[in-house]
């Protein structure tokens, strides 16, 4: 059957003048297709390269050319796809010898650059490190096929080669970090984490925390090293010694925060002090040397509190499971709550047993429905798990203690880059509440409080001095908060404990005062001093007398210095008025602005505020931290120790690079040709 005149297929032939311009813009597609007639008066467009055919016309109905353009421009045709990739990678548009391409072509901006095989290897290694993929993924057939569809020119590498790329990246980033650590103006405090494996071996994770020249807080993983017995005292101290030598910070160690259970802490503390004090100059005779992780003690106590009513919690979990087992039961439970006029906004939900905050929230919600559970047991023979009235009283007491821990943990987690000064506020309130609870006339309260108070009191005795010194470095509180809080905790004996803090802060300041300052700020940069004081005028505008005419004046000043010595910076700081408490107060910025006023004291403040009181990093959950050591999975346990260290450390370092947070653009861009 012949086609009627004027059919839309005619763009391949001569067309009337009125439509030639529009059709010429579409005609470029026909350089890649031919038209073939098929039975029934239909025609199909056949790709000249891959020989695939497409519907074009059926009688008077024209399919158009959009689908043909997609076959060419988007690379559906295998031949064109390969040619386009070569052209994008190594060639530019010709001088006009070929026909004009389509007016619009869509591509991902990812392909706008020239293909770089070596950079692709680096990006592949970075992907494996950051996302913790297994190294042998480079030999997975599906992954190889996927990469080939993205870039046929990419040559996949084997496991040993990608391992070499990872080790090279580790060495490069380590050298960059060593420069930062080498230039830090103060001391570094370490955190120690223990990891076990499926074998008898283990790993020790060592991280360093410090404040840089710009008064920014940093925490970086330094080592992740294998040891034969990670829980032994000698292995721990030897690993720390190796790390200090590796990073050349033997004379810069300030404190060590341990992430371990309570029973082994004393062993570690005594051993580490004896072993390292002989090789490093510890400040304040090592009184601040070992710090216990605040997040760890919160979890230890929370787990003890929950364990004290584990049977009741089991019944509550089973009760919630019963109610949520079907929609009918859930609706019946809601009807009973409505009848009893219990209008609660809380929803019943099971907890996650490894996260104690979810257990606390589950108990809070269940408490509000305790009457509903009791009524449900009387009208449903299938339900017999309702807690008794005495059980609910114990749940109320448990929730009271858990609320203390829950609120404290949220304060710490809600602070970006928490400095050491914030922890005293939380710790002294818990210490006071637990002390008062032990004297409660309610036997359930006092008996439970005594159990958990013993553990927190041990933490308080070990770490209250560190926490107190840190809050003294907060210009909003200084020694005044110590006096107030200790009067609440110790009563008539508070003066003795306040004196201990006051003597310690002065002794520590004396140690810093005997150290040479790198620069005398009072005279080093007068322009900067005026800027800090709000005066940016040119200080050289005033003409001073000649030096010889002021010799008598210099002698007068010298006599004043001898007869009336200036107050130490610490005393001057403590005697000045407290800084107003505002919500957005930045303590590090305050010390940055007052560095010239307190050159020695600011050095001490820098080191104290950088103490990692909690080992939980920013953005992590305190509630999910488990006591004791963590376990390395089977796959990573099988890798070489140097590879494991490279994977862990480099992942930590890469997260602080700006390029990692900038995702490559994958938006579809429209190219005008």
């Amino acid at each position: 059957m012949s086609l009627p005149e004027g059919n839309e297929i005619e763009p391949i032939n001569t067309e009337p003048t009125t439509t030639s311009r529009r059709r010429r813009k579409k005609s470029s597609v026909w350089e890649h297709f031919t038209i073939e007639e098929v039975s029934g008066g239909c025609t199909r467009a056949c790709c000249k390269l891959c020989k695939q055919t497409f519907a074009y016309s059926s009688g008077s109905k024209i399919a158009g050319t959009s689908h043909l353009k997609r076959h060419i421009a988007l690379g559906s045709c295998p031949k064109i796809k390969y040619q386009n990739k070569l052209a994008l990678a190594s060639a530019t548009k010709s001088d006009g010898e070929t026909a004009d391409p389509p007016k619009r072509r869509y591509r991902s901006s990812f392909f706008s650059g020239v293909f770089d095989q070596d950079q692709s290897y680096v990006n592949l290694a970075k992907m494996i490190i950051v996302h913790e993929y297994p190294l042998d993924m480079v030999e997975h057939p599906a992954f190889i096929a996927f990469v080939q569809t993205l870039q046929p020119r990419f040559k996949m590498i084997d496991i040993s080669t990608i391992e070499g790329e990872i080790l090279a990246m580790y060495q490069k980033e380590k050298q960059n970090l060593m420069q930062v650590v080498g230039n830090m103006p103060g001391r570094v405090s370490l955190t120690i984490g223990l990891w076990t494996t499926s074998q008898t071996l283990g790993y020790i994770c060592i991280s360093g925390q410090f404040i840089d020249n710009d008064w920014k807080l940093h925490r970086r993983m330094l080592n992740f090293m294998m040891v034969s017995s990670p829980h032994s005292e000698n292995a721990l101290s030897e690993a720390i010694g190796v790390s200090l030598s590796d990073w050349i910070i033997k004379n810069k160690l300030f404190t060590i925060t341990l992430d371990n259970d309570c029973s082994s802490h004393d062993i570690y503390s005594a051993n580490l002090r004896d072993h390292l004090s002989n090789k490093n100059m510890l400040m304040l005779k090592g009184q601040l040397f070992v710090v216990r992780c605040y997040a760890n003690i919160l979890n230890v106590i929370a787990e003890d509190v929950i364990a004290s009513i584990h049977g009741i919690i089991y019944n509550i979990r089973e009760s919630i499971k019963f109610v949520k087992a079907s929609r009918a039961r859930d609706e019946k439970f809601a009807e009973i709550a409505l009848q009893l006029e219990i209008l609660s906004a809380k929803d019943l939900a099971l907890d996650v047993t490894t996260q104690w905050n979810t257990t606390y929230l589950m108990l809070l919600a269940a408490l509000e429905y305790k009457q509903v559970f009791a009524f449900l047991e009387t009208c449903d023979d299938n339900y017999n798990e309702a807690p008794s009235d005495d059980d609910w009283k114990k749940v109320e007491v448990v929730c009271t203690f858990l609320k203390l821990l829950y609120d404290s943990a949220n304060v710490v987690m809600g602070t970006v880059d928490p400095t050491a000064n914030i922890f005293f506020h939380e710790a002294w309130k818990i210490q006071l509440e637990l002390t008062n609870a032990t004297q409660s006339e309610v036997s359930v309260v006092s008996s439970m409080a005594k159990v958990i108070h013993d553990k927190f009191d041990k933490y308080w005795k070990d770490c209250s001095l560190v926490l107190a010194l840190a809050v003294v470095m907060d210009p909003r509180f200084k020694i005044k908060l110590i006096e107030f809080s200790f009067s609440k905790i110790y009563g008539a004996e508070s003066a003795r404990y306040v004196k201990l803090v006051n003597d310690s802060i002065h002794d520590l300041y004396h140690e810093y005062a005997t150290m040479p300052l790198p620069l005398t700020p009072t005279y080093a940069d007068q322009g900067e001093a005026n800027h800090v004081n709000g005066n940016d005028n040119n200080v050289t505008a005033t003409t001073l007398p000649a030096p010889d005419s002021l010799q008598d004046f210099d002698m007068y000043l010298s006599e004043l210095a001898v007869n009336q010595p200036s107050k130490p910076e610490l005393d001057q700081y403590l005697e000045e008025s407290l800084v107003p408490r505002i919500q957005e107060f930045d303590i590090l910025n305050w010390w940055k602005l007052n560095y010239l006023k307190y050159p020695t004291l600011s050095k001490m403040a820098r080191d104290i505020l950088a103490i990692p009181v909690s080992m939980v990093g920013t953005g992590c959950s305190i509630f999910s931290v488990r006591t004791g050591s963590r376990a390395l999975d089977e796959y990573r346990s099988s890798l070489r120790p140097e590879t494991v260290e490279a994977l862990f450390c480099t992942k930590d370092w890469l997260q602080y690079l700006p390029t990692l947070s900038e995702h490559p653009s994958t938006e579809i861009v429209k190219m005008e040709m």
Side-chain angles (χ1 to χ4, degrees):
M1 178 178 179
S2 61
L3 294 173
E5 294 182 1
N7 191 284
E8 290 292 327
I9 294 178
E10 288 302 313
I12 59 176
N13 299 322
T14 304
E15 290 296 317
T17 305
T18 57
T19 60
S20 61
R21 183 177 181 182
R22 177 177 60 83
R23 291 174 178 173
R24 277 198 302 271
K25 290 172 66 177
K26 295 182 179 181
S27 63
S28 61
V29 74
W30 299 114
E31 293 189 10
H32 304 281
F33 290 90
T34 59
I35 296 178
E36 297 180 354
E37 293 189 7
V38 296
S39 61
C42 301
T43 60
R44 296 183 67 83
C46 178
C47 178
K48 295 180 180 179
L49 296 176
C50 69
K51 305 304 179 182
Q52 185 176 353
T53 63
F54 301 85
Y56 183 62
S57 69
S58 177
S60 60
K61 184 177 180 181
I62 305 299
T65 58
S66 297
H67 59 309
L68 306 182
K69 291 179 181 179
R70 288 194 294 270
H71 181 71
I72 301 300
L74 296 184
S76 298
C77 176
K79 299 288 186 178
I80 295 296
K81 177 180 179 181
Y82 181 71
Q83 292 175 3
N84 284 345
K85 289 185 181 296
L86 290 179
L88 286 171
S90 60
T92 58
K93 184 180 177 181
S94 63
D95 295 330
E97 297 176 357
T98 59
D100 292 335
K103 180 180 179 180
R104 294 177 181 176
R105 181 160 57 92
Y106 296 89
R107 64 174 177 83
S108 170
S109 60
F110 177 79
F111 291 107
S112 60
V114 176
F115 170 67
D116 189 332
Q117 182 78 55
D118 293 335
Q119 185 59 42
S120 297
Y121 290 152
V122 172
N123 290 336
L124 177 58
K126 187 181 297 185
M127 180 186 73
I128 291 175
I129 293 170
V130 173
H131 299 289
E132 300 183 4
Y133 296 140
L135 273 64
D136 60 358
M137 71 177 296
V138 297
E139 297 182 354
H140 294 175
F143 179 69
I144 296 174
F146 172 71
V147 172
Q148 288 299 307
T149 61
L150 297 178
Q151 177 52 266
R153 299 173 62 196
F154 180 80
K155 298 178 181 178
M156 188 57 70
I157 52 182
D158 56 18
I159 295 178
S160 60
T161 306
I162 193 63
E163 186 177 21
E165 290 285 344
I166 292 172
L167 293 173
M169 184 177 297
Y170 163 75
Q171 290 296 337
K172 176 184 175 182
E173 297 302 329
K174 182 177 181 179
Q175 291 301 317
N176 294 335
L177 182 57
M178 287 195 73
Q179 294 182 4
V180 175
V181 173
N183 294 328
M184 65 181 181
R187 291 177 171 258
V188 60
S189 291
L190 302 181
T191 65
I192 310 297
L194 305 180
W195 290 69
T196 60
T197 67
S198 56
Q199 308 163 3
T200 57
L201 304 175
Y203 283 84
I204 293 179
C205 176
I206 302 177
S207 297
Q209 186 159 299
F210 59 92
I211 295 174
D212 65 12
N213 283 294
D214 198 36
W215 286 88
K216 301 297 182 184
L217 184 67
H218 299 274
R219 181 184 293 188
R220 298 291 187 272
M221 187 179 295
L222 301 180
N223 295 95
F224 196 90
M225 61 182 68
M226 186 189 72
V227 291
S228 57
S229 301
H231 288 279
S232 67
E233 307 90 54
N234 291 334
L236 188 63
S237 56
E238 289 174 3
I240 295 173
V242 170
S243 181
L244 295 176
S245 300
D246 186 22
W247 292 88
I248 319 177
I249 52 176
K250 281 187 175 182
N251 297 324
K252 292 186 175 183
L253 179 61
F254 193 55
T255 66
I256 293 180
T257 303
L258 296 176
D259 178 19
N260 59 310
D261 57 83
C262 299
S263 60
S264 62
H265 178 266
D266 293 332
I267 299 175
Y268 288 142
S269 301
N271 185 271
L272 287 173
R273 280 196 185 95
D274 295 341
H275 181 84
L276 295 174
S277 61
N278 297 327
K279 301 179 180 180
N280 300 275
M281 185 176 63
L282 299 180
M283 306 298 293
L284 209 60
K285 299 179 181 179
Q287 294 183 60
L288 311 178
F289 182 53
V290 177
V291 182
R292 297 177 65 191
C293 176
Y294 184 73
N296 183 268
I297 192 63
L298 291 184
N299 282 295
V300 169
I301 296 177
E303 291 174 0
D304 286 348
V305 171
I306 292 172
S308 67
I309 59 166
H310 64 90
I312 301 174
I313 292 177
Y314 173 82
N315 289 341
I316 292 175
R317 288 188 182 122
E318 293 300 312
S319 298
I320 295 176
K321 290 178 184 178
F322 179 85
V323 172
K324 297 297 182 180
S326 67
R327 176 178 292 184
R329 290 178 181 177
D330 199 8
E331 292 176 352
K332 183 177 181 180
F333 189 86
E335 290 176 2
I336 296 174
L338 190 61
Q339 292 175 10
L340 297 177
E341 297 183 351
I342 298 175
L343 304 177
S344 174
K346 294 183 173 64
D347 293 327
L348 289 177
L350 287 172
D351 62 335
V352 179
T353 57
T354 57
Q355 296 181 342
W356 62 264
N357 63 313
T358 64
T359 304
Y360 165 63
L361 297 175
M362 179 187 72
L363 296 178
L364 275 184
L367 267 175
E368 297 195 6
Y369 293 104
K370 61 181 180 180
Q371 297 179 14
V372 182
F373 285 115
F375 189 89
L376 181 64
E377 192 173 37
T378 63
C379 62
D380 193 329
D381 296 335
N382 296 320
Y383 174 64
N384 56 3
E385 301 286 353
S388 65
D389 291 340
D390 289 339
D391 290 341
W392 286 119
K393 290 179 182 178
K394 293 180 181 179
V395 171
E396 289 178 357
V397 174
V398 164
C399 286
T400 301
F401 289 124
L402 289 179
K403 185 179 187 302
L404 276 175
L405 310 177
Y406 179 80
D407 292 343
S408 180
N410 278 321
V411 169
V412 174
M413 286 180 17
T415 305
V416 179
D417 295 332
T419 45
N421 59 296
I422 73 168
F423 292 90
F424 181 84
H425 304 273
E426 304 307 315
W428 86 264
K429 288 184 290 186
I430 293 179
Q431 175 71 3
L432 178 62
E433 291 294 334
L434 294 180
T435 302
N436 293 337
T438 58
Q439 303 169 4
S440 173
E441 296 180 356
V442 181
S443 59
V444 177
V445 175
S446 59
S447 60
M448 190 177 298
K450 288 177 182 177
V451 175
I452 59 179
H453 176 265
D454 289 342
K455 288 190 175 181
F456 195 84
D457 188 58
K458 180 174 176 55
Y459 172 84
W460 177 257
K461 290 177 180 178
D462 288 343
C463 300
S464 59
L465 179 59
V466 173
L467 303 181
L469 295 184
V471 84
V472 171
M473 292 294 96
D474 190 331
R476 298 170 297 174
F477 303 102
K478 301 181 182 180
I479 202 73
K480 298 300 182 182
L481 182 61
I482 305 299
E483 297 170 350
F484 171 77
S485 58
F486 280 11
S487 67
K488 299 285 187 180
I489 297 174
Y490 300 112
E493 298 183 359
S494 62
R496 179 164 63 93
Y497 293 96
V498 173
K499 184 178 184 302
L500 175 63
V501 174
N502 190 61
D503 291 346
S504 298
I505 197 76
H506 279 84
D507 290 344
L508 184 61
Y509 172 77
H510 179 71
E511 292 186 27
Y512 276 88
T514 57
M515 300 177 185
L517 290 173
L519 190 65
T520 305
T522 306
Y523 306 101
D525 193 343
Q526 188 177 4
E528 184 177 355
N530 280 277
H531 177 72
V532 172
N533 292 324
N535 181 12
D536 290 325
N537 296 329
N538 189 345
V539 296
T540 61
T542 303
T543 302
L544 297 177
D548 293 340
S549 63
L550 294 176
Q551 287 183 353
D552 293 341
F553 179 66
D554 292 337
M555 295 177 62
Y556 170 73
L557 292 179
S558 299
E559 292 175 359
L560 286 179
V562 174
N563 298 327
Q564 298 179 356
S566 60
K567 288 184 178 180
E569 294 175 22
L570 177 60
D571 293 338
Q572 181 183 349
Y573 166 79
L574 293 177
E575 291 175 6
E576 289 181 349
S577 300
L578 300 180
V579 172
R581 299 193 305 273
I582 58 176
Q583 188 69 25
E584 288 77 22
F585 180 75
D586 186 342
I587 187 172
L588 295 184
N589 189 58
W590 188 91
W591 280 105
K592 177 181 179 181
L593 296 177
N594 287 272
Y595 173 77
L596 296 179
K597 185 177 182 180
Y598 305 113
T600 300
L601 188 60
S602 63
K603 288 181 60 178
M604 187 173 79
R606 186 197 304 269
D607 294 340
I608 293 176
L609 294 175
I611 296 175
V613 179
S614 173
M615 294 182 60
V616 180
T618 303
C620 300
S621 173
I622 287 181
F623 309 110
S624 61
V625 175
R626 305 298 299 172
T627 57
S629 57
R630 288 160 287 186
L632 213 61
D633 59 42
E634 290 285 347
Y635 170 72
R636 297 209 167 189
S637 298
S638 66
L639 298 176
R640 295 190 301 167
E642 56 268 30
T643 303
V644 175
E645 182 173 41
L647 290 171
F648 272 85
C649 291
T650 312
K651 179 184 178 181
D652 178 76
W653 302 336
L654 289 178
Q655 67 177 313
Y656 301 104
L657 297 181
T659 54
L660 192 64
S661 59
E662 297 175 0
H663 301 288
S665 174
T666 55
E667 62 178 336
I668 301 300
V669 295
K670 183 169 64 178
M671 302 294 293
E672 294 292 338
M673 306 301 291

